[in-house]
Each structure stands twice: as C-alpha cells, then as structure tokens.
Amino acid sequence: MNGYGGTILRVNLTDGKISKEPTPAQLARDFIGGRGFGIYFLFKEVPKGIDPLGPENKLFISTGPLSGMMAPGGGKCDWTTKSPLTGGYADASMGGHFTAEMKYAGIDTIILEGISTKPVYLFIDNDKIQLLDASSLWGKGAIDVEVELKHKYGEEYQIAAIGPGGENQVLYACINHDFGRQAGRGGVGAVMGSKKLKAIVLHGTKSVAVADLESYRKAGLALYKACKDAEGLAEWSRYGTTVVTSWCNEVGALPTRNFSAGSFEGIDHINGQAMRKEIVITDKGCFGCPSPCGKYSNMKRYNTQVEGPEYETIGLMGSNLGIADIQSVAEANRLADDLGLDTISTGSCIAWAMECYEKGILTKADTDGLELKFGNTEAVFTLIKKIAHREGKIGDLLALGVKQASQEVGKGSEKFAIQVKGMEQSAYATHNATAMLLAYMTCDVGAHHNRSWAITYDLQVGREKVVPEKVARIIWLQNFRPMFDVFGSCRLQWVELGIDRELYCPLLESITGIKRSWQDLEAVGNRIWNLTRMYWARENDSFGREWDYPAQRFYTEPPKTGATAGQITKFEDVQKLLDMYYEQRGWDDNGLPTQATLETLNLTALVV
Amino acid sequence: MRLYADSAKCSGCRACLVACSLNLFQESNPKKASLNLIPHFPNPGVYEMKVCTQCGDCAAVCPTEAIKLNDRGAYYVDFAECNLCEACVPECPEDVMFVRTELANTAWKCDLCGDCVSVCGTSALWIAN
Amino acid sequence: MLKSYLGDQKEVIVEAGYTIRETLISLGMNPDLVAGIFVNQDQQSKDYILQDGDIVNLLAVIGGG
C-alpha cells in the first residue's frame, strides 16, 4: 500500500504473544493514519468502561503517510489510549525520529495490549520483534535509559522510554524520546507503566513505496522551498516556541501564579531572549523539519542539559509558579522529562498546591514540610521528584492531577483547579479571550491548545466578543489542524511559518495515490472529531454540556494585575458560546452529536 | 565543486539523508544516504556532520574503476561496476564511503546532486568550489 | 505582515529615538498583533528604543501553538 508501512503490529504483554496483520486498505482510505487510526482502534478494540490502568486498556502508536518521507516535519507519531487522567479520549503527538523508524520497520500502528507481570521492553528490528527483560532498567530516569539502550544497540536505534513517573502511574506521566521529545499529555506514560513496559527500541531499514516517485520528489521539494522562503523562518528557528513568550505576556495570555493573572513581572528573565542569552546551545529538529523549534540547552548552574524549555514549560513552570529565572525553569523541565512527567500538568498541579498553601488550605503538615510559596524553586525541584515517586502525602496527592487532588482536598480549592474534563490547561490564560476559551472548553482531550488556537483572532475581532464567527473559526481549526496528527507530521510549518497548505495535497496524492482536497481532508477531520466526542459520551454516562465548562477562575476572578487586569468572561457568555458551538457542530443542547449528524458522517455503525 | 557542512548549524533533522537516498536509490531511506550525521547527546548536545570533500582517495583505490567522475565534476559510484571489495571504505577521511550489504549490493557515495542543500532549513549545507 | 498595514510595502524607514511600540502605532499598526520584534536578529521587547542603523524585523502572530 503506497505511503504506508503495511503492517499493524500487535503486542500482548500478558501472554507475550506478538502478531502482525496487514493494514486494511479501507482503514487507510477512511482514516488515513496517525490520530485517525488511533480513534478507530480505540473505539473498536477497547471495551466501554474499562480501567485505563488495567489490562483491558490499549495503547495505540500510529504513523501517517507523511511520516519518514521527504516532507517538512514528517516526524510525528500519535499515541492514543483511554486516559487515566480524564477517563476519556487521550492522544499525544510525539516528535523526534521514532515515527520515521516505525515506517521503515514496515509498521503503521503498534497495538500494546494486556499487562506484563515483569518489567519488559519491546525490541523491534525490522522483522525481529521481542519482549525483553527490563528489570535492570526499571527505576531509572528516561534519559539514562535512552543513553543505555543506544549504547547497547547503536545510534541508529530509536528509543521511547518512561521514567519513574510512568512506572508509578502518575496520572499525567509522559513518554520520552530523542533526548527531549515526549508523548506528553493525558497520562499515556502511566498506561505504558501500568503495562510494565519500560521502553521501546526501534530500528527499521525497509523502503516505503510511493504511488508516483517523480511527483513525490517534486512536491516534497516544493514544500521545503516554501518553508525556506517563509518570512520569519530565521526568527522562528532561532527562538522556537519561546518566540511568543513576551507577546503572550503583553496581551495577558501568560499564565501567572496559577492563572490568577495573564502577565508576569519577571518576564524578561524567562523569555526567548533570556534563553538564548543564558542557556541555548543547539537548534534541534525533529525528523525532516526545516524549522527546528527545539532549543537544546545547557544549564551552567546545575551542569545539566535539556531540550527546552518550550513556551508551554516557561508558562506552566515559570510564570505560573512565580519563578523568574530561566535556568531554574530549564532544570525543572529536565527533572520532569527525566522522571517522565508532563511539564504542563506538573506545573499546574504545583501551582494549585502553591495557591492552596498560600491560602492556608494546605499546611506544612500536608506538604511534608515543603514551603510551597510561589517562587520557591527548591521546593519545586523537590516536589517534582516526590510526584514522580508518589512520595509522601503531597507527592501522592498531586500525582492524581489537579481535578482529583482538588476534589480530595475540597475547601474551595476546586475553584482554582485550572482544568477542563480533568486535563490541566496549557499555557494560555483566557480571562478575556472568548475564542481561545472556547478552544479549551471543547478540545477533545481536555484543556489543551493543540486542536485550535485563536488568540490572535480574538484580538483582531475583539477579545470579549461572543459572535458566531469566532465559533466557526474554532470549528474550522478543530477539523483542520489535527489532520497533521493524522498525516504523521508536524503542524507548525503551517501554524508558524504560514506556508500554503495547498502544497500538502500533491504531496499526499503522490505518496498514497489517493487524491484529496482540503475539503476532503477536513471532512475526515470532522468525522474524527465526532468520533472522539462519542468516545467521551460512551465512557461517561453523565457526559454533556457541563464537561465543556471552563475553569471557574475564567468567569469569576478578574486578574488584579497585568494586561487583562479587571477583565473577565461572563458565565452567560460561556453558555452562549456553547449554544452556538453545538448548533454549528450539529450537536444537541447537551453537546452530543445528533443521530442526523452521525448518519451524515456515516458513523452510526462505529459508535454503536 | 564540493559539498560543505557547518555542523554548528545542523539540527539533526535528517532531511538531507532522505533527499540523498531518494536521489541515489529512489527510496526514502536515510540509512542509504551519503552524508554522515552524528548526534552527540545528551552531552554536549550537538550534531556533527561529515560530507564528501571530493578528495578522490576512494576512486584512486577502487580496483574495478567503479568510482567515476560525473558531469558535475563529482566522484560517484557506478553501481554496475562495484564488486563490494570495500577497499574504498577505510580510505575515506570523512567516513562517507558506505557499504552496507543488507541495504544495497554496492558501495555508495555523494554524487553532488544538491538535493540535500535544497531541503536543509538551517543552511548548514552548501555547494561551492 | 506589514502588507496589511502599509499596502505592498515590505520595508519602511523610521526615525530613531522612539520605542518600537510608539513606532508601530505611528505606522497605524496594532502592537498586539505583532508577536516578535527582532533588532539586528536579537529579539527585543516593544519598549526597545530604536537607534540609528537598527534593522528591525517584525514577526506576525500567525497561528499560535
């Protein structure tokens, strides 16, 4: 099958059975790859109501037709599972070189099922596939594990590993790869840890057939040229995602002290300029990427290295914690990476705990003696380690994520648990930016910005406006942006460099042999969107409108300082946004796809 | 003319390797490329690039005269003439003479097609005298 | 990015001594819609005061994260 590895690899960790099936052509036609394959398999193979950390959950790792090809950013794979953090749909997109290697090993999806009695790692070298003993690796940090396995097998081998965070099933544990890339959110690392799978070692040397070689070469080179000609390439590559840090601060979008404000007084010590000045050594890129956003850094104070911090980590582990020092943020980043914790969720949980501490809701008796005041860097380092090991009352509490932790502690702390559907909000404060707020409310993994991002649109249209155009924009972005996760590639070449997305169509056609316009592709995106929505509904009997509500802070507590001081969204506008959104999506008043919508999308058979 | 690489600008993306293998073998397979990209991670955290300097040492030692000059003035391997003796491999001062029999029945090297330069987003590669 | 404010102009010459923010406003641009300011390739804040000979590149916020 042109453009595909051709095989679905099934690995049963309970009985050790390893089997292969050919990738169904109809699946490739209907769902294309990546996130599309993920939701298809999740719906089909994971029974309703199972425990995400139990033997019946599965972890699906999928490439897409652009993975491993001569395509800018063709370096992403999608990890899909039932989330232990939210109880709903989770997927995480991982960069680096793993997806390419999967493709060259002839694999489109790896299905990890069951639970091993002992720690193992999965070894894949073309057709030699084994589950091997990982007892000597268990307990080690993800960085050390990658070093060890590359040393053992060779530099060509690609490694994905969990740290102690995943082993201990911290609900937002992540998976690490290529010394700085993660399958970050939703607890995919906890699922891998629950299966006692410590790492995956991957090596492939096969070729990938394409439908039209000359057209493929031409289309690929055209995309690279567009990226190289893009205005802003040099600036983007120099600063990566940190390029927006100062701007976010200026427009009140930078999460500050548990999202109590959107601007931070210490901005000059944590922005892109500070990074380049103090720590960055190398611009590091994922497979095939002409616009390397990775900022590999060396922290002289600690004598450590990390790929990062990304903007998200600067937000959630810098300004959100009241920390005004880039080396401290970078070291917190490194600790989280090595221990295998999603930096966004970790930062949010710590910020929540700090607010609890400053309000007297948590005392030193609850924090194992830690002085959890905003700005206390040493306490942050200690706490990250405690969380990863579920150590002490506070470590174990925060390992649950901010929603469950606040439900346990109570005393009004739920009001400042900044999450939607149980996932901690990523680094854009939305006190007064209604399109972005809607993006977070309706994102299908919880409060993450991956599916749609619209702050500029908010500023262009009028940030407090609640109008159908904003809703239409969010819906369009939600149908369109995740298609890159389906292609197995990065979206940032379109998002950040602004290249013409039409260039992807001839590339996809020359690879797969199937002609698809962006209208066709967005239709697939819309179909996937409704499927992930139905998955949430299937798993949660009470699922509906209230699950889409934003964190309470954004309609009750105007910031006292910063660019959005005194500004807040009205709850009636939250409802108005949802009314318009459901209507435009073809969903009922409670936010569930109507029968008519499911029929139009040809989904009724799948969602039974 | 020859290819030049500035390792300090290399991001490790491997786009050059894919473009190269596509040119040499009509395959997207970075392991069949003729540049040598060496990551040094986690410490010091840099990529090292080695490219063919067109020094000709490989051609000088090839017993079947399989390494010839193309119309770009660059040395290339005529796949039909290579007998896999591997005499060329240790001669290469840059480690960019490749023999991997599990991947191809011939040695291979850079033929100065320039596609790697076209796909390098950080301008770490260029062709000059 | 400059195109939407200054027609087809890609470049414009401005006076030194003013901050970036003041300069953007005087050109009819909303500073909030400019993500990044790069002066001689280094990112600077909008409070940076322009000096003679500075070359400033603007980065529009296109799509975010």
Side-chain angles (χ1 to χ4, degrees), chain C residues 1-14 23-24 26-29 58:
Chain C
M1 173 61 201
L2 278 178
K3 201 169 170 174
S4 56
Y5 293 96
L6 302 170
D8 274 326
Q9 264 184 290
K10 286 206 152 209
E11 265 183 39
V12 68
I13 300 189
V14 297
T23 305
L24 291 175
S26 76
L27 288 171
M29 295 170 77
L58 304 181

Side-chain angles (χ1 to χ4, degrees), chain A residues 231 239 247 250 481 496, chain C residues 10 32 43 46 57 64-65:
Chain A
E231 274 182 40
Y239 293 96
W247 176 81
E250 283 169 20
R481 282 166 54 122
E496 307 294 352
Chain C
K10 286 206 152 209
D32 279 353
Q43 193 168 10
K46 294 192 179 103
N57 280 343

Side-chain angles (χ1 to χ4, degrees), chain B residues 60-74:
Chain B
V61 79
C62 175
T64 62
E65 292 176 346
I67 303 179
K68 304 170 178 169
L69 276 170
N70 64 20
D71 53 19
R72 289 186 279 269

